[in-house]
Amino acid sequence: MSRESAVPRRGRLRAAVMRRGAAWVALPPTLFLAALFALPVLRLLILSFSDPAGPFSPYWRIVDIPAYRTALLTTVGIGGLVTVLSVLLAYPVAYLMATVPPRVARLLGLCVLLPFWTSALVRTTAWIILLQRYGVLNTLLVDSHLLRHPVSFVYNLSGVLIGMSHVLMPFIVFPLYNAFRGIDQNLIHAAETLGAGPTTLCRRVFLPLTAPGVAAGATIVFMSALGYYITPALMGGPAQTMVAQLISFNVEEQLDWAMAGALSVVMLLASLLIFFLFQAVFGLDRLFGDAAPSGRGVVPFAVGARGRSASGRAMLVLGGAVLLFLLAPVLIVFPMSVGSSPFLSFPPQHLSLRWYHELLARPQWLASAWNSLQVAAIAVPGATLLGTMAALGVSRLRGGLARGLEVLFILPMIVPPIILAVGLYYQMVPLGLIRGHWGLGLGHIVIALPFVFLSAQAALRGFDRNLERAALGLGASWPTMFRRVMLPAIGPGVAAGAIFAFITSFDDVILALFLTDVRGRTLPRLIYENVSEEISPTITAVAVLVILLTLLTLLLNVFFQKDTR
Amino acid sequence: MTGQNTVLGKSVRLDAIRKSYGTTTVLRDLSLDIPAGCFCTLLGSSGSGKSTLLKLIAGFETPDAGVIRIGGNDVGKVPVNRRNIGMVFQNYALFPHMSVRHNVSFGLDMRRISPGESARRVDEALEMVGLDDLADRRPRDLSGGQQQRVALARALVIRPDILLMDEPLGALDRALRQTLQVQIRVIQKELGITVIFVTHDQEEALHMSDQIVLMRQGAIEQAGSPWELYRQPKNRFVASFLDECNYVELPSGPAGIRPARLRLGADARTQDHVMSGRVERVTFLGANMRVTARVGQADVVALVPTENEPDRFSVGQLVEIGFADADVMPIA
Ligand SMILES: Nc1ncnc2c1ncn2[C@@H]1O[C@H](COP(=O)(O)OP(=O)(O)OP(=O)(O)O)[C@@H](O)[C@H]1O
Ligand SMILES: [Mg+2]
């Protein structure tokens, strides 16, 4: 290279920057994830080979020691059962949503999503109140003589299955709903004229046409289920110990980092394998977008003028029952929180605000809520800024680099949070980050970033690049164009991402368990500590307040989205 | 298909059919007789109730009042899947997850036809529509015309009592539409099947039908052979729907006359009726020229052969317009 080329090269660089535009903005989020996501996870994996007894000794122990073997099988088994159960439960709801008027369908969709966005701890607590031996369900069943003696539905397999299907089901309901909506009414008519009755219609038309949507949803459910920690820990018994719990146990009780690392490797490999399989088979767009098939003259199928068939009506009743199942735990805490009995009896005998008073009287609740908000104050702006930058950068790139970065920005929601929590713990303790809010705040940026990324990315896809070119052509600089043209267009999408970032941060308990100390503990962590000992009615008051806050935040989102249409 | 497989379709009789959605009445006391083996076209502008009528016959909807008989039997209580009806949709409605062969054999599976017999009939049906070499393709790998032929084969293979087609050619281009018009007509004649065909293209109706039913706002304006509707329209609506028409006042009463039946210039003088007008517009159409002339307060349109004199008529020129008694269509 000669010296003369220095000046032209600078010109070339500028041209490249102009051409690629803002692709460089993907750099900060990439570096951030490299340092606070990839590095801690990698170090944990390397730790797995650091056992004094030999690099592979923890892996041999996983195979040799029955407890570990059993936990692996249990994890896969529970994952499979939850997936099957979610599919079975999702069908009637999706069918119900597809056959009611769109307005009602949207409302039902909110009902399906509400448990998904409600804090895992609040849900779990509510389920325990509902299902335990002297809980609401048993009271109802014994009082109506359906059961002679109360049966415990929690602290065993049924508890884990109920708790996990409840929250994972939406992943199947929505793709399935879209698949139903994409079925052309004329296809049904054609099948009917050819002689198909309701059963054949279901078997030969509905099932095959909805199968891809179900398969996509089921894959996500299975993958997420493998990494579950809180629900099996609180709602299961010793026989339902899953791998995530063993990782935590090895870090906290055994201080066996090599073993924790090895278990993480196994779990991570399983998750990544499923994730990349999913990407290969369905494509990333299927992950959250609605892949509703559309074509010329497609009339979404609806219930015919001759009304619902008997099986159609049965589906309707089932759908209603599943919706009740989805909403029950969210609803039950409201009456429970205004009862006066300390034994959580149902129905509450005397109305009182006793537990709300108790809540205010105990400084720890307010302190932990304040901690949660402080952490969110770090996590939400951080995730919003970095997630938006990531989406902007990826939108400027093409080919392999774009796809690679896209995967990187989504991965934090694929990797089981327990792995990230343990990895960050290992990384942050020596840096003293566990004291104060920064450690958890940074961790929350990592897990919230994908939500902002996806939602900003969706908004950018809807943004007409010609508007940008027009603004630049009219003489605006890139920053001016961004501020005056692009930001207003993608603003609502970014705002939605910020809201999901807030909910993610505010609800997280797994990272909080590892990355906070007693003084910095957040509200979910405090609830967790209370619930794992004994459920006091004060919890119901906390739950009500958390649900109301979530609801408020979701309504805020609806409001933002409405503004754009 | 060979002669021994020939199926004779059934007759359809509609008796005072009424249908409304909420407050809008879509069909008003509609009665109609379609003989067995007839190619009957429902013609009418958008919203006139053609598709609704088809849905009632198929059984997707139930009439508010009236009786539908197929082959003499009241089908009011017979569900769709027991009516033995073939149906072809505008958007083809092929099952996307099945190959062409499985699409066509679907109806035979429902009737529990043995696999050997089924395969034979599927092959036969595909051969009939000229698609025997595409049997293993998926519908999305076919062109629009091919998809519509699969839909036709699928409807025909079950040997339906009647074949219902709702604008089956609407999504195809002109050349393909004409090819398929001929093909459908040939197959219909060969099988002797009863067809009820919906279209809003009057040319298509004239080309294909034994019987045309012209509908307007949920009622039948006129039903009859193409010739009857074209040459003996009951009223101006029918006359104008099928083709362009001039209206004149004759001593015998109001009458219609088709543009092609008008003679201009020297030819006009030998006709039974002669008027004079001033040429307003001349449009070259290829074989014909369309000449618009002002006669009194009204415009009269004539189609005259171009022959070798493209400049025979010029704007502003005075011209004689004549026509014969035989071409006059008395209109109420
Ligand atoms: N399910 C329904 N609910 C309410 N109104 C309907 C329904 N189906 C049809 N209609 C109304 O009935 C009238 C006739 O509709 P139909 O589809 O039969 O017309 P068409 O003659 O087939 O028209 P096109 O040529 O546009 O297909 C229209 O005014 C339409 O709006
Ligand atoms: Mg129609």
Side-chain angles (χ1 to χ4, degrees), chain B residues 262-298:
Chain B
L262 292 178
R263 302 280 175 268
L264 293 194
D267 303 347
R269 290 179 207 129
T270 58
Q271 301 288 315
D272 301 329
H273 305 271
V274 184
M275 331 178 267
S276 91
R278 190 180 291 280
V279 174
E280 286 205 317
R281 249 191 325 276
V282 181
T283 316
F284 176 63
L285 299 175
N288 290 311
M289 280 196 297
R290 188 170 182 276
V291 180
T292 312
R294 192 97 186 149
V295 179
Q297 297 301 313

Side-chain angles (χ1 to χ4, degrees), chain A residues 14 73 92 240 264 292 345 374 412 425 430 436 468 508 510 519 548:
Chain A
R14 201 150 84 224
L73 289 179
Q240 283 77 45
S264 302
S345 62
Q374 281 175 289
Y425 178 65
E468 174 186 350
D508 162 73
I510 301 181
R519 271 202 302 157
L548 288 180

Side-chain angles (χ1 to χ4, degrees), chain A residues 184 186-198 200-201 203-205 208-209 296-299 304-306, chain B residues 59-62 76 78 80-81 83 85 87 89 91-98 106-107 109-111 154 158 171:
Chain A
D184 182 0
N186 281 343
L187 278 187
I188 313 296
H189 281 172
E192 280 182 324
T193 57
L194 292 169
T200 319
L201 213 57
R203 195 167 49 81
R204 298 214 30 196
V205 180
L209 286 179
R296 188 182 35 201
V298 171
V299 185
R306 293 183 155 240
Chain B
F60 302 131
E61 310 263 352
T62 33
V78 183
V80 182
N81 55 344
R83 286 197 186 186
I85 277 174
M87 179 123 189
F89 301 85
N91 68 348
Y92 324 130
L94 297 179
F95 303 120
H97 56 293
M98 299 180 195
F106 186 92
D109 298 349
M110 297 304 111
R111 287 164 177 73
R154 182 179 70 178
I158 60 168

Side-chain angles (χ1 to χ4, degrees), chain B residues 50-51 166-167 198:
Chain B
K50 308 180 296 287
S51 298
D166 194 350
E167 302 196 31
V198 168

Side-chain angles (χ1 to χ4, degrees), chain A residues 229 244-257 260 418 421-422 425 509-516 525 528-529:
Chain A
Y229 173 44
Q245 287 160 272
L246 288 183
I247 296 178
S248 157
F249 170 77
N250 271 290
V251 169
E252 299 208 303
E253 319 263 321
Q254 304 288 94
L255 304 177
D256 186 346
W257 283 89
I418 185 75
V422 172
Y425 178 65
V509 61
I510 301 181
L511 263 58
L513 283 178
F514 286 88
L515 304 182
T516 56
R525 179 171 174 169
Y528 180 82
E529 287 166 1

